[in-house]
Amino acid sequence: MAVAAVGLLTPGFLTQISIFSILTAAAFTGCVAIGMTFITLGGNVVSFSLGVTLSATTIIFTASLPFGLFAAIFAALAFSAAVMAAQGWLVGYLGANPIIVSLAALSIITGAGTWITGGQGVYPTGSGGEILSGTIGYLPVPVMVCVGLMLVGQLIVTRTSFGRRLIMVGSNRKAAEIVGARPASTTVGAYLLSGVATGVAAILISARYRSGDFELGNGYDYAAISALLVGGNAIQGGAGSPLRAVVGALGIATIQSLLVLWGLSTQLQYLVVGVAVLLAIVLQAAGER
Amino acid sequence: GPEGKRIALFIGPTQDKFLGGITRGVTDAAAAKGMKVTVFSSPFDPTLQAQQIDDAVAQKFDMLILQPISQKAVVPPLTRAKAANIPVVLVVVPLTDASSQDLYLSYAGYDDRALGSLAGETMAKQLTDAGHKEANVVIVAGSMDEGKAPIRQKAFVAALESHPGFKVVATEDTKWNPVTAETMAGQLLARFASKGIAGIYGMNDTLANASIQAIVAAGLKPGTKPGNIIVVGGNCQGVGIENIKNGKMAATLFDNPVDEGKLAVDKAADYFNGAKLDKAYYLTPAEPITSANVAAFEKPCTY
Amino acid sequence: MLQLDRVSKSFGAVLALSEVSLSFEPGIVHAICGENGAGKSTLVKILSGQFAATAGSILYQGSPVAIPSSRAAQQFGISVVAQELSVCPDLSVYDNIWLGSVETPFFHKRSTLRARARKVLSQLGQSDLSLDTPVRSLSLGHRQLIEIARALVRNAHTLILDEPTATLSDGEIGLLFKAIESARAEGCAVVYISHRLNEIYALCSTTTVLRNGRLAYTGPTSALSREDLIRHMLGRPSSEMFPPLGKTGREAALTIGRLNVPERIRDFSARVAAGEIMCIAGQIGSGAIDVIEAIAGRAYDASGEVEVGGKRLALGSVERSLGAGVILVSGDRATDGIFLNLSVLDNLVAANLSGLSRGGMLRQAELVKFARASGQKVGIDVDRLKARAWQFSGGNQQKLAFGRLVGCKGIRVLVMNEPTRGIDVGARADIYGLMRSFCDEGYAILATSTDVEEVVGISDSVVTMYRGEVVGRYRRGEADSARIVRDITHPSPEGNGLLS
Amino acid sequence: MDARLSGVLKSRDARPYLVAVPILLAVLAIDHGQGRVLTLSSAFSVLQQFATIGPTALALGLTMIAREFDLSVAGMTNFAGCVAVLCGVQDPLLGILAAGCMGLVVGAAQGFLTIALRLSSVAATLGGLLTLAGAGYVITGNATVGYPRMDVALMVNSPVLAIFSLRSIFALTTFVAAALILAYTRIGRDLIATGSDPQAARVAGVRAGLMVVGVFAVSGFLAATGGALVSYSIAAASPAALTNTLIPAVAAAIIGGVSLSGGRGTPLGIAGGVLLLSMLRTGMSAVGIPPFAQDLGTGIVLFAVALADAEHLRMRFYELQRIGRKRPA
Ligand SMILES: Nc1ncnc2c1ncn2[C@@H]1O[C@H](COP(=O)(O)OP(=O)(O)OP(=O)(O)O)[C@@H](O)[C@H]1O
Ligand SMILES: Nc1ncnc2c1ncn2[C@@H]1O[C@H](COP(=O)(O)OP(=O)(O)OP(=O)(O)O)[C@@H](O)[C@H]1O
Ligand SMILES: [Mg+2]
Ligand SMILES: [Mg+2]
């Protein structure tokens, strides 16, 4: 609310340019944050491997563009879903520590990726990615896709039996097992969905910036965690939603943009964002009591 | 002679295509000359790099080829390397402090001051060609805390502002991230909507491409014609070449990391052959890449 | 002498205690009774510094005192066994006994303190329990004993025990009573809370009854008949506690043959017919709970021939057990019973999601209808479907755990462990009624309990266990409390028991 | 005797040390008798790594033992480095002192926020992390700051007794102190109790809130002094992540037996986790394994640790065995 009010008073904020660039930036983080929400909601804290999965997926997408857009999208989503689902299997079926598993995946994907690409860039050949970076009507495609993903995610969490099971597992794993919520396969499902959401972000980013690159996913883990927490999802699991995650991402992007509009120096921008996130978290905690 | 010499290469994350290119340049050229390279890579972590240098010094390598991840933080370990009489060749960025000049033998690579200047001059020329007498330009920069970006920024500003009427009105630090770059560019366009922005300098083609995205999203036109926003990039990358070909980007500058790696190894070999090295060997493009000459650069720019 | 003078406590609109005046005299064991939610624990928490009273005062030797924290209560000489188990699993027995004590010095491992801890433990019959054992490896009952030891070791002038026996079995209860008696004899004022009326009569000379936060009765226990006591608690005369036995079917719903769990159970076998309630009685460590856990699929190393409805069940997976129609109702509500953070509705539909969804999508209207129906069946306020489960009292929480079984497809066997742990007489009768009504619908129930009265009252058949082996089997009418207590405390001469 | 030995081998503290053995053997095998591994200089190198990651891992590990999670250590090391470098030009001790006090105060403030508002500490310290990072940018003006005292820089890293340095001695000291406090004092016991079950600890009379504030203060202090020494050693401080310590610190703490659900873990175990990671890094680069293979190796070791620790693994093995047994019948 406060952010919106300040925004209205800032010249330039209400322009189409400004709003679209906020929305676009929030869309990428939003997708990853939606993915992170599934992991957190199911009681597996956070994953540090979403960013690197995103990077690897941009390469898969770019490399398979010559086979056509749909093939590339399919390959990218299948890859990121598989990478995350494998981690979900270790966590869900074997009870491995989710954080260590994600760090292991981070290392292995980085190593394998460097090995396979030989540190060489991957360039899109042929076209097809353009429609993903354009606009439909007025809205940029990434924004529409992110909103769509959020709606689907929200639907899954609130309206499907899988979503209900996921919340049960995150809230009390043992009790969930007793009533037949199948914690192991539910966990795999949650990781798989997080992989899909991350894959969507990867496709949008690599289509928009026309490259597949191991640096593209840098920083998304922290950005997603921040969005999650600012949106008010419970880090211990069992409560939260994709909607909240996206609202968090949007809030952070808005603050960042306002600071550029005010012409604050880079260093002050960082400080103010930090303080704003802290305030958002504190105010929210105070509000919930 | 260089045969059998052991070289330690210190570099940032090798999955980065620019740094991966340097790594390939160094390892291939060294193999051709019979030298053996061990790669020490770190995720842009100067403390780890300092430690790796110390380890390499303890292992008595014959030569260190080094990308200083932090120009300041390499000073203590390079002091120890000097004490152990191990020669150092720098790549990517030289050490600028006067006090650290005796810590390395030579710098081999691109001259970022020249690149920044050339970018500034190119921008000025493009602006003039498009009929601007006065123009506001913004810089979408890489990491400004140290390294290439601040050098390029300073040189660019100096070159551009030597043309009266042209001014750099803002520089935003994007940490080389395209998504940040697009947001920053978008906000800058909004902030200076009333004054108008005539040109954007994206420090590499990825950042320049992100700026172009922002321009398009804002309903404006990137290009070289009057009324278009002029974008100049750098580090010629595939997407830059493509953008020049389809007229969205005015220019970029040639900058090939594989060449840079080769140059460093050549100088190392010269040193082992007994030659006395200069303080710096610069690779600098003579002219910008524009629509006029883009065809020649398509191949070397996809490293 | 510790006195409460017109103490009130409200939580928002809820008045938990209203103008309660009481005195606790040295050398007297004083019982406090009341339904779930009557305000007993609230009173304890006020005396132990966890809550501040909204009005009224606490007097010691006639002068008012303030008790702002549990530390202050301790310094003042009040020591408490809280209702919710409060031992730390990651500390040793020794550390738990001295945890939070104002007496512990900075370097806390002292031989004098060890000696005192050991003495209290042996008073409670645990002389062979090593002080350095991590509490994580101990059973619920042992943990409760350690918490009691913590209260005893502090040498308080007022000792408060809030449902200390809910997880203990009779042998240990006897020892606890001895320990309480010796504290009393030394001039300690004891406040004792329990839902087990037998204990009140056995131990306490004064009884106070709370109803809806108000004092309903206070006076000598001897002047109070059982019926009067229940009438004071419920505000109405007691109905029959145990429902009449029903008709049990003939075909076996569950047969267990040669069930083994390494180091826990040896060769357990039993046969439960549809409509039958079978109770396994045994002390902590007897293996009774392990039978339940194994049948529910929670013991991965269990082996044996188990058949449900004539079909073979492979043990070791909760999913398989559920698939075969076996579902667990746990007495440990917080850890594996219900979802405390979720709503009543979510809890009631939890076990039946697949029945309430089509193609993976939940049918919202059905959900609410289903939850209302099951809530009604088990007696939960159906206007509070949106409330969170943690806002409900223990008794109502346990009803939730039952409620979600109503209308669940494919369930044949309910296995339960301590189905009425910590539940008041009123709610308890409801739960027994529910158990019987499930049986009437053809379910079979296999339950464990450490409460012998309950075992005798509800079961169609009883199996007694000692140290992993079956001691005796009784049909309807054959079992009586005395024989069961003898079985579960003294092994028969020929069976030495698995763990002896 | 046998029972005690197997007890030690099974304890969570021992695990990192046990995992370290096969890694050492593997590295030795790759070295192929060229003597690049078992040297004084590689021992020195391992301890230097230990000095870099150790204090942060200990800081984070202690908060995890208290069932909290101090995400801010990542920003704390950096910011403290900036503070130390800016304040310590005249007197290096003054710089360390300033950094330490800052860490103590900021840590305590985060602990207080967590307790007073009943926030999840991950959320509170995320705010702390971003704010500290921003503060670092502000005090350095978004530029790497050099530390002009080259004498100090060389001193903190110069070998003492061949394999130690001032920095690693500091790190080892903090571990020894923490281990002693946790094992032998009431504070240690109360800390474990708080992490094990905060409500129970409170009911028993432990000042659980104070313990949380205290552990965050200590965490801030450790991360800050560790970060200050790192900055001295490279004679520079930068607001952009100077050292990537968070991820190795989390990994070290968990490998060392600290549990996310609190109450478990010891400084000895955490030290083992840090040593394991340091050995892995030093060992692999000593024998010249290329970077991508180092990443793969690290990942495989982490997977192995995650599996060895997996709760349900034994159960799954049992099932496999069972299926195996059934087939012939
Ligand atoms: N933390 C709380 N917040 C709000 N209300 C509470 C809280 N704790 C207790 N209450 C209220 O206090 C009343 C008395 O609760 P209390 O725990 O004292 O009951 P009790 O007699 O101990 O019941 P039981 O036999 O189930 O232990 C409850 O009805 C409830 O309304
Ligand atoms: N935090 C709370 N907020 C609102 N109401 C509460 C709260 N805690 C308890 N209550 C109310 O208090 C009543 C009794 O709760 P209480 O916690 O005393 O039961 P309990 O102690 O868990 O039961 P038992 O002791 O039998 O296991 C319930 O009706 C519930 O609605
Ligand atoms: Mg109570
Ligand atoms: Mg209660």
Side-chain angles (χ1 to χ4, degrees), chain C residues 11 14 16 35-42 51 83 163 195:
Chain C
F11 297 100
V14 180
E35 278 188 284
N36 290 126
K40 307 178 296 291
S41 298
T42 304
F51 288 161
Q83 180 177 8
E163 296 190 35
H195 289 296

Side-chain angles (χ1 to χ4, degrees), chain C residues 85 135-145 172 284-285:
Chain C
L85 195 64
V135 165
R136 179 177 288 287
S137 65
L138 299 181
S139 68
L140 213 54
H142 274 118
R143 295 185 191 194
Q144 180 75 42
L145 285 173
E172 288 133 0
I284 288 151

Side-chain angles (χ1 to χ4, degrees), chain A residues 12 15-22 24-25 28 110 114 118-124 130 133 205 207-216 218 220 257-258 260-264 266 269-270, chain B residues 13-21 24 44 171-173 175 177-180 182-191 193 206 209-210 213-214 217-220 237-239 242 301-303:
Chain A
T15 56
Q16 182 202 355
I17 311 173
S18 170
I19 290 179
F20 280 3
S21 80
I22 294 173
T24 312
F28 304 128
T110 311
T114 319
Q120 206 152 4
V122 182
Y123 296 92
E130 288 82 11
S133 61
I205 291 176
R208 193 167 185 85
Y209 302 113
R210 303 204 41 75
S211 74
D213 193 322
F214 250 101
E215 303 291 300
L216 282 175
N218 281 353
Y220 274 100
S257 304
L258 279 177
V260 183
L261 285 180
W262 291 341
L264 250 54
T266 309
Q269 287 177 27
Y270 284 110
Chain B
T14 50
Q15 64 267 29
D16 178 287
K17 59 187 166 198
F18 193 83
L19 303 179
R24 267 180 286 125
F44 292 121
T171 302
E172 292 293 339
D173 184 342
K175 305 253 171 277
N177 180 318
V179 181
T180 317
E182 181 176 345
T183 327
M184 293 293 182
Q187 299 310 322
L188 289 174
L189 289 171
R191 181 173 147 207
T206 307
N209 177 57
Q213 296 283 1
L220 303 169
Q237 293 161 334
V239 14
E242 203 180 311
C301 282
T302 46
Y303 44 84

Side-chain angles (χ1 to χ4, degrees), chain A:
Chain A
M1 278 312 288
V3 170
V6 177
L8 294 182
L9 297 177
T10 302
F13 179 73
L14 269 189
T15 56
Q16 182 202 355
I17 311 173
S18 170
I19 290 179
F20 280 3
S21 80
I22 294 173
L23 290 179
T24 312
F28 304 128
T29 316
C31 289
V32 184
I34 292 169
M36 191 72 89
T37 305
F38 286 108
I39 290 176
T40 307
L41 204 52
N44 292 309
V45 206
V46 292
S47 166
F48 288 112
S49 64
L50 291 183
V52 72
T53 305
L54 196 163
S55 298
T57 310
T58 61
I59 292 175
I60 300 279
F61 178 75
T62 314
S64 43
L65 259 182
F67 304 102
L69 182 59
F70 284 103
I73 290 178
F74 178 79
L77 291 184
F79 171 80
S80 61
V83 163
M84 292 311 295
Q87 297 172 51
W89 185 82
L90 289 168
V91 173
Y93 277 90
L94 302 185
N97 182 304
I99 292 188
I100 294 291
V101 166
S102 75
L103 293 181
L106 168 66
S107 272
I108 289 194
I109 297 171
T110 311
T114 319
W115 189 17
I116 293 165
T117 62
Q120 206 152 4
V122 182
Y123 296 92
T125 46
S127 54
E130 288 82 11
I131 47 166
L132 290 176
S133 61
T135 57
I136 294 181
Y138 269 115
L139 279 176
V141 173
V143 177
M144 311 228 337
V145 172
C146 176
V147 169
L149 191 67
M150 179 193 77
L151 291 178
V152 172
Q154 194 71 10
L155 195 74
I156 290 176
V157 169
T158 57
R159 291 292 160 92
T160 65
S161 57
F162 169 80
R164 201 56 72 92
R165 287 208 307 270
L166 183 62
I167 290 175
M168 281 156 59
V169 171
S171 154
N172 185 343
R173 191 182 203 275
K174 280 185 173 173
E177 182 169 32
I178 287 174
V179 296
R182 300 194 297 279
S185 56
T186 304
T187 304
V188 175
Y191 272 81
L192 191 138
L193 285 175
S194 83
V196 171
T198 308
V200 169
I203 292 169
L204 292 176
I205 291 176
S206 72
R208 193 167 185 85
Y209 302 113
R210 303 204 41 75
S211 74
D213 193 322
F214 250 101
E215 303 291 300
L216 282 175
N218 281 353
Y220 274 100
D221 297 307
Y222 292 104
I225 295 171
S226 306
L228 203 82
L229 291 173
V230 169
N233 290 295
I235 193 78
Q236 60 275 10
S241 68
L243 175 66
R244 279 172 169 266
V246 172
V247 168
L250 195 59
I252 295 177
T254 308
I255 296 170
Q256 278 168 340
S257 304
L258 279 177
L259 301 178
V260 183
L261 285 180
W262 291 341
L264 250 54
S265 65
T266 309
Q267 48 267 41
L268 279 176
Q269 287 177 27
Y270 284 110
L271 182 62
V272 175
V273 167
V275 173
V277 167
L278 189 61
L279 273 181
I281 288 168
V282 165
L283 288 179
Q284 198 160 44
E288 272 171 18
R289 285 180 54 209

Side-chain angles (χ1 to χ4, degrees), chain C residues 14 36-37 41 83-84 163 195 333 384 390-397 421-424:
Chain C
V14 180
N36 290 126
S41 298
Q83 180 177 8
E84 291 79 28
E163 296 190 35
H195 289 296
R333 291 182 288 272
R384 294 182 63 193
W390 56 263
Q391 292 172 319
F392 277 60
S393 79
N396 282 326
Q397 289 177 6
R421 174 176 293 154
I423 285 177
D424 73 47

Side-chain angles (χ1 to χ4, degrees), chain C residues 263-394:
Chain C
E263 294 180 30
R264 287 172 182 271
I265 312 171
R266 191 155 72 194
D267 285 347
F268 179 94
S269 54
R271 178 180 178 283
V272 194
E276 175 180 350
I277 298 181
M278 174 184 278
C279 262
I280 309 176
Q283 286 184 282
I284 288 151
S286 65
I289 291 173
D290 301 294
V291 172
I292 300 296
E293 298 262 308
I295 303 297
R298 302 221 298 176
Y300 69 91
D301 47 357
S303 59
E305 287 112 49
V306 175
E307 283 182 7
V308 180
K311 278 210 215 73
R312 181 68 191 270
L313 165 67
L315 297 175
S317 143
V318 176
E319 243 166 78
R320 278 200 300 267
S321 291
L322 270 172
V326 178
I327 194 164
L328 174 72
V329 182
S330 173
D332 191 354
R333 291 182 288 272
T335 38
D336 47 26
I338 61 170
F339 302 96
L340 288 171
N341 292 327
L342 300 186
S343 69
V344 172
L345 183 134
D346 289 340
N347 271 286
L348 285 172
V349 301
N352 208 16
L353 288 177
S354 49
L356 293 168
S357 53
R358 187 180 294 131
M361 298 297 291
L362 293 169
R363 291 181 290 171
Q364 297 292 322
E366 298 286 300
L367 282 183
V368 178
K369 229 164 70 191
F370 183 88
R372 289 186 83 88
S374 4
Q376 235 143 23
K377 172 106 193 280
V378 296
I380 284 172
D381 185 355
V382 291
D383 294 328
R384 294 182 63 193
L385 288 183
K386 286 219 174 95
R388 306 273 145 178
W390 56 263
Q391 292 172 319
F392 277 60
S393 79

